[in-house]
Amino acid sequence: MSQKQQEIISMFDNIADSYDLANRVMSCGVDIAWRKKACNFVFKNLNTKSLENLCIVDVACGTGDMINHWLKNANSNHLQIQKIVGIDPSKNMLEVAKKKLPNITFIQSEATKLPLENQSFDVLSIAYGIRNVVERKKAFEEFSRVLKKEGLLVILEFTKCENPSFMEKLMGFYTKNILPFIGGIISKNYKAYKYLPDSIEEFLTAKKLILELEELGFSPVYTKSFSANVCTLLIFKKN
Ligand SMILES: C[S@@+](CC[C@H](N)C(=O)[O-])C[C@H]1O[C@@H](n2cnc3c(N)ncnc32)[C@H](O)[C@@H]1O
């Protein structure tokens, strides 16, 4: 593993205990609607065969927020999830997740090395995680390997804006200057929350992310940007 990747993972180890609180305060809870949108789209668009025996893996699961949303929204859609697994390389983030969701299987591993069988999942989600994966192409190849044919890849991520509008600049100011300040106070780790805007700046635009995935055999089926394009929900089908 590269030193950069190691540093990113240990940064999450250091902020694990305050992660949930910082997340809720910084997003003012609006991420809940984005996560719900992702789950509902999947439940409405998966084929019947997949819905009858639904297997979901959440990569970069952190403290288990997205898994919680899969469970809640399946329930409200009267669906049963056959199997759901959370994967993350940060031991401390997983410890928080295990306390919140003691009946769920969590595995400590990276997106580039999923300890899962070929073509064994109907849905693979990664929420605010892919930006932290240094070897992104390798991870996408793993996602393709573990997803069944026509399985859905769900990505929620802070994406970079090209030629930002006034509103986008305003949101950019909030993300760059206010968020690290609030996150720094809650976690007592300013550096970790300064990483957030820096990593968005280094990341791709939604358009480029789509192109990367198309080259690897995924077709975009749904794209929606939220909060002046700060966050994008992208859903792909494995060809
Ligand atoms: C911003 S948190 C998101 C957590 C969770 N998905 C959520 O929605 O709240 C990013 C997560 O990515 C994980 N991560 C960092 N590098 C990773 C890698 N190479 N493979 C998989 N996960 C990684 C971190 O440990 C951290 O838990």
Side-chain angles (χ1 to χ4, degrees), residues 12-26:
F12 281 103
D13 271 329
N14 291 335
I15 58 167
D17 287 338
S18 56
Y19 178 83
D20 281 346
L21 176 64
N23 216 15
R24 283 289 95 82
V25 174
M26 289 186 326

Side-chain angles (χ1 to χ4, degrees), residues 1 5 8-13 15 19-20 23-24 31 35 58-66 87-91 93-94 109-114 125-135 139 143 156-158 195-196:
M1 194 194 294
Q5 184 66 81
I8 292 172
I9 297 167
S10 61
M11 185 192 77
F12 281 103
D13 271 329
I15 58 167
Y19 178 83
D20 281 346
N23 216 15
R24 283 289 95 82
D31 66 309
R35 293 175 195 266
D58 186 45
V59 177
C61 67
T63 60
D65 248 26
M66 198 61 203
I87 296 190
D88 199 286
S90 159
K91 184 171 168 281
M93 292 290 270
L94 286 182
S109 194
E110 264 199 272
T112 50
K113 268 184 247 131
L114 299 176
S125 57
I126 179 159
Y128 312 106
I130 196 64
R131 206 175 5 101
N132 305 302
V133 179
V134 174
E135 292 182 280
F143 297 174
L156 254 174
E157 193 49 274
F158 296 113
Y195 163 80
L196 177 69

Side-chain angles (χ1 to χ4, degrees), residues 2 6 60 66 160 199:
S2 70
Q6 264 169 9
M66 198 61 203
K160 205 166 128 179
S199 64

Side-chain angles (χ1 to χ4, degrees), residues 4-146:
K4 184 177 176 191
Q5 184 66 81
Q6 264 169 9
E7 281 171 10
I8 292 172
I9 297 167
S10 61
M11 185 192 77
F12 281 103
D13 271 329
N14 291 335
I15 58 167
D17 287 338
S18 56
Y19 178 83
D20 281 346
L21 176 64
N23 216 15
R24 283 289 95 82
V25 174
M26 289 186 326
S27 73
C28 307
V30 290
D31 66 309
I32 293 173
W34 307 341
R35 293 175 195 266
K36 191 173 170 188
K37 182 111 194 153
C39 298
N40 284 336
F41 181 91
V42 166
F43 294 144
K44 296 218 156 51
N45 287 277
L46 263 185
N47 58 49
T48 329
K49 201 174 142 220
S50 298
L51 286 175
E52 278 167 7
N53 200 2
L54 190 54
C55 296
I56 302 178
V57 54
D58 186 45
V59 177
C61 67
T63 60
D65 248 26
M66 198 61 203
I67 297 209
N68 228 342
H69 280 83
W70 283 122
L71 296 171
K72 266 196 212 154
N73 287 285
N75 207 17
S76 53
N77 280 278
H78 311 289
L79 286 170
Q80 204 155 7
I81 299 175
Q82 185 75 19
K83 180 174 165 188
I84 186 156
V85 181
I87 296 190
D88 199 286
S90 159
K91 184 171 168 281
N92 295 353
M93 292 290 270
L94 286 182
E95 253 158 40
V96 178
K98 282 178 197 161
K99 273 188 206 141
K100 290 188 335 198
L101 297 161
N103 298 324
I104 300 295
T105 306
F106 289 101
I107 308 172
Q108 190 181 357
S109 194
E110 264 199 272
T112 50
K113 268 184 247 131
L114 299 176
L116 307 169
E117 283 179 24
N118 293 352
Q119 303 197 29
S120 51
F121 284 83
D122 304 287
V123 180
L124 185 151
S125 57
I126 179 159
Y128 312 106
I130 196 64
R131 206 175 5 101
N132 305 302
V133 179
V134 174
E135 292 182 280
R136 190 171 56 240
K137 183 166 179 258
K138 207 168 158 190
F140 287 156
E141 284 165 353
E142 272 296 82
F143 297 174
S144 173
R145 181 183 67 76
V146 304

